[in-house]
Amino acid sequence: MKGFWHDAAEFFPILMSGVVLTIVVTIGSLLLSTVLGLVWAMMRVSGIRVLSMLSASLINVIRGIPIIVLLFYLYFVMPDLGVTLSALQAAILGLGIAYSAYQAENFRAGIEAIDKGQIEAAQSIGMGWWLTMRRVVLPQAVRIVLPPYGNVMIMMLKDSSQASTITVAELALQGKLIASSTFKNTNVFTLVALMYLTMSIPLILLVRHFEKRAGKK
Amino acid sequence: MIELTDVHKSFGENEVLKGITASVQKGEVVCIVGPSGSGKSTILRCINGLESYDRGEISVEGLKVDRDAPSIVKIRTQVSMVFQRFNLFPHRTVLENVIEGPLYVKKEPRAHALERGRALLVQVGLAEKADAHPPQLSGGQQQRVAIARALAMQPKAILFDEPTSALDPELVGDVLGVMRKLADDGMTMVVVTHEMGFARDVADRVLFIDGGVIVEQGPAKALLNQPQHPRTQDFLRRVLHPL
């Protein structure tokens, strides 16, 4: 145990630089997946056949490809097509696209859970589609969508470790590098696990808060 | 101001409106009565384009009702609707519900909308509930807010779709009271209702609808007191003397 605390103190600064990248990748892909997910969801509920079918097939294609393959594609294949991305850009783009499919389905479920009477009331006072969405549907859907959204945040935090496969030196990769050079597998990976857990706990509490609030009304 | 000419409407195989021709004059109160499933609500929903219709024509002040045309917004701001289940926006306060349309659809200045919104709440007897949220109110109060929301658009006519059917019996009177006052003030109203007392006292004209057609129509008192058609007679007997 004494050895652990000693190692922890020694490796902590290096691992912290990994934590920073982990957070950057997580937040970046969270934002991207939220925006893309909203776009897919809006297309899906637009009532315009072409848009909703396009969105449905896009979501299925994204869902059917493993994140890691998506990352390899962006990082290793895109340069052949003339688009060179940094590892960090590819990671954020890949995770963002991959998760946009789940976000979209979550948002769509939230939007479709809103009572049809709400939409009719909005229309009856002359609101168009977009105004109805913005003023009536989305503000109510947020309440429904937030708890699963929180869970997606937790999953993204952990899946950001997949960025290590395309050389992003985030927490998992830093841990692996230290472990392979010091052979202190147990201590290093225990520390890495604890650091992920520490970052997850606030998110877990946040989800619990969302769930309580959603359950109230 | 509202004209329906030979309006047909089907839901799949089921033809719910089989040629409705009717008109509502400015300042007139028309009640639509009839058994459930007869197409009463569908008529209202077609008038402000919440439903499309298959054949015939509906016009409001000379403007053809077409739910896919941009003109539908103009029609909806002129013809408000009050729903059976109120459909207030639960995430906004009572006052915000009332000013939502004026503010975001008609783009009125906020101060102006607020002032009129408060006045409307006074009119429906709910001034003290301005900052409450709809779920905190009784059904009768919610429906009065919904009427204030409809009035806030300064409509030329209001459509009421069974406005008291979802209310506890002791709350019906408050809502009918507000509607009676509106009628007295000269508002053009089309009311789908099962409240025969209201129809008799307040309506100028009553349409009796069954099976998607107008079976009988006429001045309220005459039609409800001396119905001519056997189906009207039978319906009124069952409504007024259920035992």
Side-chain angles (χ1 to χ4, degrees), chain B residues 120-132:
Chain B
L120 285 169
L121 288 178
V122 171
Q123 189 184 333
V124 299
L126 290 169
E128 78 285 4
K129 298 288 185 191
D131 298 319

Side-chain angles (χ1 to χ4, degrees), chain B residues 181-198:
Chain B
K181 248 192 335 199
L182 281 181
D184 291 344
D185 292 345
M187 176 59 77
T188 308
M189 296 162 61
V190 183
V191 187
V192 169
T193 187
H194 292 292
E195 298 289 335
M196 294 306 150
F198 177 84

